[in-house]
Amino acid sequence: AYYSPHWKVTIHACKTHTPTSTFCRSPGSAPAIFAMESIMEHVAKSLGKSAEDVRIINLYQEGQVTPYKQPLTYCSISSLWSQLVKSCDYHVRREAVEAFNKANRWKKKGLSVVPLKFGIGWSGAPFSCIVSVFAGDGSVMVTTGGIEMGQGLVTKVVQVASSTLHVDIDLINTRPSNVLTAPNNSTTGGSVGSELCCAAVLSACRQLLEQMEPGRQQLPADATWQQVVVKCFGMGIDLQAKSW
């Protein structure tokens, strides 16, 4: 998140005697952030300033160039910093932390604001999904090409299906991705997996509604979802849709 025209980085690969203890999203970012923020803390302490003050004056500005020679034609990090500090009452909370630390010898609290600029390459990312409706109870099964890893992909997919089909969220079920139902899909990552899977589900659900419309038209306007599903099944309407 910080601009410096004098970057010179020498990388050395290290082989350790222990295996990786866990997986990490955006590998490499956390160690780099730790190293950079350690520098900021050191500079601040040496100059007798707060780390936040040192961070602010070193933030990237629009028009500057990254070490990868990429010009920042759009850079809102300074304004985002100001908005966050204001919206979270940072200075008030900081004073409370400092007062607590003065009053407590052994127990301490900390509060910090840390910026991050994370570049994402974009070359297209295909994701597909299959949405199936079961005539027995009207339940809906959704499977996509995305991988849930704690980012909430499944939750978003279920919400989109429920909202688009106008059915209770308890009727929506999901199954993990596999190459049979979602071949040739992109790697889940880059902050686009959840959104593109949701777009695929939205498209598939709209297809389903179009396919089910003939059955819906033969029922009263207040017919339930289950009644519409049973009617469509009896008419031989396909209760499955796929989107890419």
Side-chain angles (χ1 to χ4, degrees), residues 90-173:
Y90 172 77
H91 295 295
V92 174
R93 296 165 71 178
R94 183 74 182 184
E95 291 176 359
V97 168
E98 292 175 353
F100 178 89
N101 290 341
K102 289 180 180 179
N104 294 270
R105 181 179 181 183
W106 303 111
K107 188 176 181 180
K108 302 296 181 181
K109 292 183 177 181
L111 182 66
S112 181
V113 181
V114 178
L116 170 64
K117 178 180 70 63
F118 187 79
I120 298 176
W122 175 254
S123 58
F127 284 94
S128 63
C129 81
I130 294 177
V131 179
S132 306
V133 181
F134 296 93
D137 58 359
S139 62
V140 181
M141 184 68 68
V142 181
T143 179
T144 72
I147 305 299
E148 171 64 57
M149 60 186 90
Q151 82 278 42
L153 184 151
V154 169
T155 300
K156 294 178 181 179
V157 160
V158 169
Q159 290 172 336
V160 169
S162 174
S163 175
T164 308
L165 296 175
H166 306 291
V167 301
D168 192 285
I169 203 167
D170 291 335
L171 286 175
I172 313 294
N173 298 287

Side-chain angles (χ1 to χ4, degrees), residues 203-215:
S203 176
C205 288
R206 287 174 174 172
Q207 290 180 44
L208 264 177
L209 292 178
E210 290 182 7
Q211 293 168 195
M212 296 172 67
E213 186 60 25

Side-chain angles (χ1 to χ4, degrees), residues 24-37 116 118:
C24 176
R25 297 184 69 191
S26 64
S29 296
I33 294 170
F34 172 77
M36 193 67 240
E37 295 305 329
L116 170 64
F118 187 79

Side-chain angles (χ1 to χ4, degrees), residues 222-236:
D222 59 350
T224 66
W225 168 256
Q226 284 83 356
Q227 289 173 336
V228 175
V229 170
V230 170
K231 183 64 175 179
C232 290
F233 179 72
M235 295 173 62

Side-chain angles (χ1 to χ4, degrees), residues 39-60:
I39 294 173
M40 290 292 154
E41 295 281 350
H42 177 76
V43 171
K45 186 175 181 180
S46 300
L47 298 178
K49 294 179 174 291
S50 71
E52 284 68 35
D53 289 340
V54 176
R55 291 184 174 110
I56 290 173
I57 62 177
N58 284 283
L59 290 175
Y60 270 111

Side-chain angles (χ1 to χ4, degrees), residues 3 60-61 63-74 117-121:
Y3 174 71
Y60 270 111
Q61 302 296 324
Q64 292 177 332
V65 181
T66 71
Y68 297 102
K69 308 302 180 183
Q70 178 186 20
L72 297 178
T73 56
Y74 176 82
K117 178 180 70 63
F118 187 79
I120 298 176

